[in-house]
Structure formats: structure tokens, C-alpha cells
Amino acid sequence: MFSFVYFCAVEIKQKELLNRAALVIMRYGIKSVTMDDLARELSMSKKTLYAQFGDKRKMIQLLVSEQIDCDKMGCEEQITQAVNAIDEMFRVTSYVSERLNNVNVTFFYDLKMGYPKAFKAMEEYKWGYIQETIIENLKRGMKEGVYRDDLNPEIVARVYLSSVEMIFGRQQFDMLNLSPHKLFLEIFMLHMRGIVNERGLPLLIEQFKHVTKN
């Protein structure tokens, strides 16, 4: 019993440290943050940091895994609270965009270039869980009669995700000097305007006004 409680305490402590490390790494990018930087930010010796996580590569793998789990929990909570498909998309998008607002776009580039295992986990999450969540939302909206009934959910979900993915390429948007957060919201509104029908449009406008006001 004691060993189990000790293990849980260690696991909780590691998650807390990972979350604190994530704030730093996502703000400045993986390449820009060294283990020395993290040791200072976490107020611990580098030796203790290595003892907790191993090397930087292992830490990034753990960090990405933890962030994926956190995102899933957050999205599921928003989906459960939604009163309809449009409300669901606004809730999930609000949650995701808030998290994205604190992420340096170089984080994803650094992940792709230097951490293939962690990047693969992120890609599998995106084209697995996230894509399926969008597909289910589209089916829900069609069933509720607020989305167009001629949509192909699989195609629309993939087009939407591909559009969002362009943000992190940046070349297409560099000249606009807009944050990933702002670009994401623009793409989201374009997506929503394209999938709602005449019945869903007033709900979309009302939801947008409510979000803008608050």
C-alpha cells in the first residue's frame, strides 16, 4: 500500500513538473530551451531534472504524451456540455485556441525536425482522435438539421484539418503578421460558414455574437 501511494505521489510530481516545463518549451520552442534553462525555471538542479525525466528527448516524448491526454480530456468535457453541434464546435475551438494562444509556432517545427517519435504521436493524435471528433460533430449537426445534409464528413474533416495544418507551415501567412491563434479562428469561421444550412446559420451568428461579446 505504501509503495502504491509513493508511486502515485511521484507520478503526480512528475506531471506537475511536466506541465511547468511545457509552459516554457511551448512559449519559446524546443530548440531555444536547454536543460539548463528548464532546471532554472523549475528551481531544481540539472542532475535532479535528468533523474526525473532522463534526457531532453525523453522529456519531450513525455511532454507530448501528457499534452495529448490533457487535450483529450478537455475536448471531451466541452463535448459533453454542448447543447448542439454548433455549440460543441465553438466550445472545443475556444478550448483549443486558448491553448494554442500560448504556443510558439516553432514548437511544432522543432518537433517535426528533431523529435520524430514525439511528432509521430502528435500526428496520430491529430489524424486519429481529432479527425474522428470532427467527423462525429459533422454527423451530429446533420442529424440535428443545422448542417448541410449533402456533406461528406470524412472529406470535410480532412479538408478542415489540412487547413489548420497550414498555419504551422507559416509560409502562406508570414506576410500577414498574424498569430496562430488568430489564423486558427479565421479558418474555423470559414469552416463553420461552409457547413451550416439555413436553419443553422442564425444559430451560428448568435453563437458568434455571444463569443465576441464575452
Side-chain angles (χ1 to χ4, degrees):
M1 179 66 177
F2 173 77
S3 62
F4 174 74
V5 172
Y6 175 75
F7 175 77
C8 287
V10 170
E11 188 178 53
I12 291 171
K13 181 181 179 181
Q14 187 183 65
K15 285 188 176 183
E16 290 175 350
L17 290 173
L18 269 177
N19 288 332
R20 289 168 60 192
L23 292 175
V24 179
I25 291 172
M26 290 187 170
R27 185 183 305 127
Y28 299 107
I30 300 172
K31 198 172 181 180
S32 301
V33 178
T34 66
M35 294 296 270
D36 287 308
D37 295 329
L38 289 172
R40 282 194 297 272
E41 289 286 340
L42 300 177
S43 301
M44 62 172 58
S45 69
K46 192 161 69 168
K47 181 179 179 180
T48 304
L49 187 63
Y50 276 108
Q52 281 285 340
F53 302 108
D55 59 19
K56 188 176 179 181
R57 187 169 298 278
K58 290 178 181 178
M59 172 186 261
I60 296 301
Q61 183 66 39
L62 285 170
L63 186 151
V64 167
S65 178
E66 182 68 19
Q67 292 303 306
I68 287 174
D69 288 344
C70 183
D71 275 354
K72 284 182 178 179
M73 288 178 59
C75 288
E76 290 298 329
E77 182 179 353
Q78 300 306 318
I79 291 169
T80 300
Q81 295 175 3
V83 296
N84 56 51
I86 293 174
D87 183 44
E88 177 186 312
M89 278 300 288
F90 269 87
R91 285 176 176 273
V92 171
T93 299
S94 178
Y95 170 78
V96 172
S97 64
E98 186 65 30
R99 288 174 63 79
L100 186 62
N101 200 31
N102 298 314
V103 179
N104 189 318
V105 70
T106 61
F107 170 81
F108 299 99
Y109 179 80
D110 293 345
L111 199 66
K112 182 178 182 179
M113 293 296 102
Y115 300 84
K117 188 175 180 180
F119 180 73
K120 181 181 178 182
M122 188 74 81
E123 288 290 286
E124 288 175 347
Y125 166 61
K126 179 172 62 180
W127 295 107
Y129 174 81
I130 296 179
Q131 181 174 228
E132 189 57 37
T133 298
I134 297 169
I135 289 172
E136 289 305 310
N137 175 265
L138 290 163
K139 290 179 178 178
R140 177 181 179 178
M142 293 167 74
K143 186 176 181 180
E144 292 174 346
V146 294
Y147 290 170
R148 289 165 36 206
D149 60 8
D150 59 345
L151 297 173
N152 183 315
E154 286 75 17
I155 293 176
V156 174
R158 184 163 285 271
V159 169
Y160 178 50
L161 268 182
S162 296
S163 298
V164 173
E165 192 172 42
M166 287 194 300
I167 296 172
F168 307 107
R170 293 295 289 175
Q171 294 90 346
Q172 298 94 334
F173 301 108
D174 278 346
M175 66 182 68
L176 300 178
N177 196 29
L178 296 174
S179 68
H181 171 77
K182 177 65 175 174
L183 290 169
F184 177 48
L185 293 180
E186 290 289 341
I187 291 172
F188 166 70
M189 287 307 299
L190 180 63
H191 168 73
M192 293 303 296
R193 188 63 183 84
I195 64 175
V196 296
N197 58 18
E198 292 182 358
R199 180 183 171 192
L201 183 56
L203 296 175
L204 175 62
I205 293 172
E206 181 182 349
Q207 190 85 25
F208 182 69
K209 286 180 178 177
H210 175 73
V211 170
T212 303
K213 182 179 178 180
N214 292 282

